Amino acid sequence: MSALPNIRPARLQLLTESRQKTHRRCQREEKLRYQDGYVTSSSSDALRFGSLAHHGLEAWWLAKDERLAAALAAVAAHAEGFDSYDLVDAEELLRGYDARWGDEPYETIAVEQEFRTPLINPETGAASKTFERAGKIDVIAFKEDFGTKVIIEHKTSGEDISPGSAYWARVRMDGQISGYFRGAEALGHEVSECIYDVIGKVSLRPKKATPPEAQKRKADGTLYANQREHDETPDEYRARVREHIATHPDDYYQRAEIVRLEDELRAYDLETWQQATQMRDAQRLGIAPRNPDACTRFGSVCGFFDVCSGAASLDDDTRFQRLSWAHPELTPPKEGDR
């Protein structure tokens, strides 16, 4: 890998919710990802699919009319690298999303709105000299029937998203939502609640042809009903997915209205300040402990596992890339601000 200069930080480091979450999970991962700026060459299938669906949702909320057509066009524009069945999943989920929520009384104010705001010590009122808060809000909308502004946060999930599930208990504790309330404030929006908007991932899989050696035929030469001569085509798969979504809509589309009281926001501010202090002190001391308990998550191994275990080097540019800006989801600072 060709040598790159150290990432020239902005005057203040950006403290995003993703960076905080990574630090809570593993300090070494946070250092490699956000301080050193390395990313793995490939992301998980779950993250890639979530990104594809997110492009469709962004277009859906931006469109004034023909929202479904806009969402499907966005998926098509980002289709490279996905197989036909992934695209079917994304398209049919968006089709169902439009049918489920298309008549809800929301008027879009902003989509993918970035914010940056000082990180304030809630006990002294002093601003951090190391970090500033930053992030991007999926949607800010006007809730027409109540005359209030709301945040809308999109997620895709393979978990049980039914009301009362553990998923929702965890969401209600998630500091990310409080961070978005603070972000909306910084943008001049007084929001009443966050609409946590979750799409369940398609639980079906394309049917494969029965291997020739396992095929069993009736007297007339046709296969038994539970066997297949050929792989299921994308069109055949689409029909099954569409029917499944239509008959099980609650498995795929759930929303929850989450509010944050002022004492909850203050608790979040205190927790964020404490975490930022820990991160600052660790940087000053040059410490970034590994957390072996976080090496595997949801059945996948951390992309930096071989680096931490000594089996690979960050210089392997077939596996790792170094970014010139550690937060590609956000607009980089202007040259004079670096």
Side-chain angles (χ1 to χ4, degrees):
M1 174 182 291
S2 58
L4 289 175
N6 288 333
I7 293 175
R8 292 181 294 171
R11 185 176 60 85
L12 295 178
Q13 297 181 47
L14 300 190
L15 189 61
T16 63
E17 292 298 326
S18 295
R19 183 175 184 180
Q20 288 178 253
K21 185 176 292 186
T22 302
H23 179 265
R24 288 193 295 270
R25 182 169 62 227
C26 177
Q27 294 182 46
R28 180 65 60 87
E29 183 184 1
E30 185 274 329
K31 179 183 185 300
L32 293 171
R33 173 62 187 84
Y34 291 101
Q35 296 179 47
D36 298 338
Y38 285 101
V39 293
T40 56
S41 296
S42 60
S43 59
S44 71
D45 290 342
L47 289 176
R48 291 179 65 249
F49 182 82
S51 177
L52 181 65
H54 204 95
H55 287 302
L57 290 169
E58 178 184 352
W60 192 90
W61 281 94
L62 277 172
K64 298 298 183 183
D65 50 32
E66 300 296 332
R67 285 176 146 185
L68 178 58
L72 295 178
V75 168
H78 294 86
E80 185 176 355
F82 292 91
D83 68 29
S84 299
Y85 301 98
D86 288 332
L87 296 178
V88 166
D89 285 351
E91 291 165 356
E92 292 307 312
L93 285 172
L94 288 167
R95 193 180 303 278
Y97 184 91
D98 181 72
R100 181 69 176 253
W101 304 122
D103 293 330
E104 291 294 295
Y106 295 109
E107 178 184 344
T108 303
I109 297 173
V111 175
E112 297 293 308
Q113 185 72 59
E114 292 186 28
F115 65 87
R116 296 188 190 182
T117 186
L119 176 63
I120 302 297
N121 183 334
E123 295 185 319
T124 68
S128 171
K129 297 180 181 179
T130 306
F131 298 102
E132 65 177 338
R133 284 175 167 165
K136 182 183 286 186
I137 299 175
D138 287 345
V139 179
I140 299 173
F142 183 70
K143 193 173 184 179
E144 296 171 353
D145 51 352
F146 285 92
T148 58
K149 294 179 182 179
V150 299
I151 297 163
I152 298 175
E153 171 68 6
H154 305 309
K155 296 292 182 186
T156 56
S157 177
E159 299 182 52
D160 174 12
I161 61 172
S162 61
S165 66
Y167 180 90
W168 291 109
R170 190 172 68 251
V171 163
R172 293 182 185 280
M173 295 188 291
D174 192 348
Q176 185 180 46
I177 296 173
S178 298
Y180 289 153
F181 271 79
R182 290 304 194 207
E185 280 181 10
L187 293 168
H189 299 288
E190 182 178 349
V191 296
S192 61
E193 62 192 8
C194 173
I195 308 298
Y196 210 82
D197 184 26
V198 186
I199 297 179
K201 293 179 181 176
V202 175
S203 57
L204 306 180
R205 292 293 179 268
K207 295 179 179 179
K208 299 296 184 181
T210 306
E213 65 275 12
Q215 291 182 3
K216 295 183 179 180
R217 298 182 180 274
K218 303 175 185 177
D220 61 3
T222 59
L223 291 172
Y224 282 92
N226 62 344
Q227 297 193 327
R228 296 184 61 86
E229 191 85 56
H230 305 288
D231 290 348
E232 188 174 32
T233 67
D235 285 343
E236 290 170 336
Y237 177 65
R238 184 186 298 277
R240 279 203 304 126
V241 170
R242 185 175 298 182
E243 180 182 8
H244 197 263
I245 291 173
T247 54
H248 302 85
D250 291 343
D251 291 347
Y252 290 99
Y253 308 104
Q254 292 289 343
R255 285 179 175 176
E257 300 174 351
I258 301 175
V259 300
R260 284 291 186 262
L261 303 178
E262 194 54 43
D263 62 335
E264 293 175 306
L265 291 173
R266 176 174 169 78
Y268 165 78
D269 292 339
L270 286 166
E271 292 169 359
T272 302
W273 183 264
Q274 180 191 40
Q275 185 176 10
T277 300
Q278 293 172 343
M279 295 170 70
R280 180 202 63 197
D281 290 345
Q283 288 182 31
R284 178 175 57 84
L285 296 170
I287 298 172
R290 291 168 291 184
N291 178 15
D293 292 334
C295 292
T296 57
R297 300 187 300 275
F298 305 111
S300 298
V301 178
C302 173
F304 294 113
F305 178 81
D306 285 347
V307 173
C308 293
S309 65
S313 168
L314 290 168
D315 290 330
D316 183 352
D317 57 10
T318 66
R319 299 183 61 183
F320 307 101
Q321 297 175 313
R322 195 176 188 192
L323 304 176
S324 60
W325 170 239
H327 304 275
E329 76 281 10
L330 301 176
T331 304
K334 296 178 181 178
E335 189 67 26
D337 295 336
R338 289 181 182 269

